[in-house]
Every structure is written in structure tokens, then in C-alpha cells.
Amino acid sequence: MKKKYIFLGALVIIIGAAYYLTPSLESIVKTLVNKYGSEITGTEVKLEGFNLSLTNGEGSISGLTVANPKNYKSPYIISLGGVSVKVDLKSLTTDTIIINEIKVDKPVITYEMLSLTQNNIKQLLDNINKNTASAEKSEADAAKAETNDKAAGKKVVIKLVSINEGELQAVTPLQSEKSSLDVKLPSIQLKDIGADKKEGESIAGSISKILSKILNTASQTVVKSGLGDLKNVAQESMDSVVGGVKDKVKNLGIFGK
């Protein structure tokens, strides 16, 4: 009986701590993802919403986008669809938050070329490789400076990230609209992010690993599908432009129907 009461008491403490931490955690997650995501990519990363249930540790993320680098026509390189998360509630009271699963459904990756050697996927990967170390240092420095904030400096272990039904859309060199040369992304999985570290992975490091995996998969898909063939994409764009002109001429009744 005594063990039962000890267990119930511990459960009450955990639930109470989770209730106390969760509202601030939701705000913190948005702030950290926006801040360190943007530092890593060198573009604007925006997370609009995050919520977490206190009963089962399940939550959802909404409105997560990664802006394109400068000089590209389309506003986003990555736009995530539905994102669900499962968090170990007990871990919220520790220095390492354990996320059992992050599931991403129907993300959209926009592929755009400026030249045969320059495209947005390659540029963003270059930015990530260049900026990740400084973003991690920035996060560590912030954690040291905010010693009175119990949520500052928390690490994470992500047991599984699964990304399904993704779509790779090409933007043609001649149009700002998306091309019909679109292909499906293969399913993506990452396991045990931060599990090989004593305290887990930093937020910046976790974001870097997830984005790098998505973009590297997209890059490989570009090569396999032929989307990187500038000639084919340009021809598709030209056909679309010519077709549009023909339709306008036809609608005006010029040269007959």
C-alpha cells in the first residue's frame, strides 16, 4: 500500500510539473525553432503553432515553413503539412526531453534552379553546413546566460522521425508558377537523434539533422527523376507559355478556332 501511495504521489508531481511547464514549453518551442532554424538555414524559418496534450503526451505542429534564399521566385523551399508529435511527459521535468515520435505527412519541397550549377536545395544545404556550428554555440551561450530559466538549455532525444507522402515540385526558370514536373519523395526515417550523446541533442543540432535529411533526399530525387535537367524543365515551361498564348489567341477568335 505504501508503494502505491509513493507511486501516486510521484505521478501527481510529474503531472503537476508537466502542467506548469507545458504552456511555457509551447511558447519556447516556437521561439527556438524560429530562432535557431533561421540561423541554421540563413532564411526565415517560421513555426506558427505547437500544442501538447497533458493526458497522453501527443501534440501537433502547424504552419512550419522554410523560406527560400534570396533571388528565388517561390517563397518557400519547404512547407510541412500535418506534423504530429509524441512526447514522454515524464521527461519534461528533466534536462533531456524525450520525443518518441515526430510524424510529418505530405511535406512539399520546392525545387528551383538559377543555373545549371545553382539551385535552392544545394544553396540551403550549403547554408546548413556552414551555419550549424555557430547556431549550436549561440544556443549554448543563451542557456548559460539564462540560468534562472529552468527550460533554457534543455536537450532532446528524438527516437523516430518519419516523413511520408512528400512531394517535390519544380519551379521553372520562365515562370513563378509551379511546373507540372512534380515527383513523389520517398519515405524518410531518422532514428535516435541525440541518443548517442549523454544529455541528448541540442535544438539547433536536431533541426539541422532533420532539415539536412529532407534536403539530401530531395536532392537525390532531383537527380533520379531528371528534374535537374535544365533543358527539360525549360522546355516544359516553354510549352506551357506557348500553350497559354494559343489559348488566349483562340479565346480572342484570331485565326479561327
Side-chain angles (χ1 to χ4, degrees):
M1 183 66 69
K2 185 176 181 181
K3 289 183 178 179
K4 178 181 177 181
Y5 285 121
I6 292 174
F7 171 77
L8 289 175
L11 187 62
V12 168
I13 292 172
I14 290 169
I15 293 174
Y19 181 81
Y20 173 76
L21 286 172
T22 299
S24 60
L25 180 65
E26 293 171 357
S27 175
I28 288 167
V29 168
K30 287 178 60 177
T31 300
L32 293 181
V33 169
N34 293 348
K35 175 178 172 57
Y36 298 116
S38 299
E39 286 187 16
I40 290 166
T41 61
T43 68
E44 183 183 30
V45 174
K46 187 174 182 181
L47 172 61
E48 291 185 355
F50 171 70
N51 64 75
L52 182 66
S53 169
L54 293 172
T55 57
N56 55 19
E58 295 182 0
S60 62
I61 293 171
S62 59
L64 181 56
T65 55
V66 180
N68 251 323
K70 291 181 180 179
N71 301 323
Y72 291 92
K73 296 176 181 178
S74 50
Y76 306 117
I77 183 172
I78 299 176
S79 179
L80 299 187
V83 182
S84 60
V85 298
K86 294 181 179 179
V87 178
D88 182 345
L89 288 176
K90 292 182 293 184
S91 70
L92 293 179
T93 61
T94 70
D95 292 332
T96 304
I97 297 174
I98 297 174
I99 301 174
N100 292 319
E101 183 180 11
I102 298 177
K103 184 178 180 182
V104 182
D105 291 321
K106 299 181 178 179
V108 175
I109 314 300
T110 303
Y111 173 67
E112 186 175 346
M113 292 179 290
L114 293 183
S115 69
L116 283 172
T117 58
Q118 190 174 8
N119 64 73
N120 60 340
I121 292 177
K122 181 180 182 301
Q123 187 169 340
L124 207 70
L125 279 169
D126 289 344
N127 289 355
I128 291 171
N129 290 333
K130 180 178 69 176
N131 298 333
T132 295
S134 61
E136 289 183 304
K137 183 178 184 303
S138 175
E139 182 179 351
D141 291 344
K144 291 177 183 177
E146 298 177 11
T147 53
N148 293 326
D149 186 347
K150 294 184 182 299
K154 282 185 177 289
K155 306 290 186 179
V156 295
V157 169
I158 307 175
K159 293 184 177 180
L160 175 65
V161 178
S162 61
I163 303 167
N164 305 294
E165 298 184 48
E167 184 173 318
L168 182 63
Q169 298 181 334
V171 171
T172 67
L174 301 180
Q175 296 175 271
S176 59
E177 291 83 8
K178 289 184 173 58
S179 161
S180 62
L181 294 174
D182 302 336
V183 296
K184 296 295 183 183
L185 281 175
S187 295
I188 301 170
Q189 281 197 349
L190 292 89
K191 294 182 178 180
D192 297 327
I193 295 175
D196 59 338
K197 298 183 177 181
K198 184 178 180 181
E199 296 180 349
E201 183 64 83
S202 65
I203 298 296
S206 300
I207 294 171
S208 177
K209 288 181 178 179
I210 293 171
L211 289 181
S212 293
K213 183 66 174 181
I214 293 173
L215 292 170
N216 276 310
T217 302
S219 181
Q220 293 166 9
T221 304
V222 165
V223 174
K224 290 178 181 178
S225 64
L227 282 180
D229 188 334
L230 187 63
K231 180 180 176 181
N232 288 342
V233 176
Q235 182 62 51
E236 189 273 342
S237 179
M238 183 62 73
D239 290 343
S240 177
V241 171
V242 172
V245 172
K246 287 180 178 178
D247 289 341
K248 289 181 180 178
V249 170
K250 187 176 180 179
N251 290 336
L252 289 172
I254 303 173
F255 306 125
K257 296 184 178 180

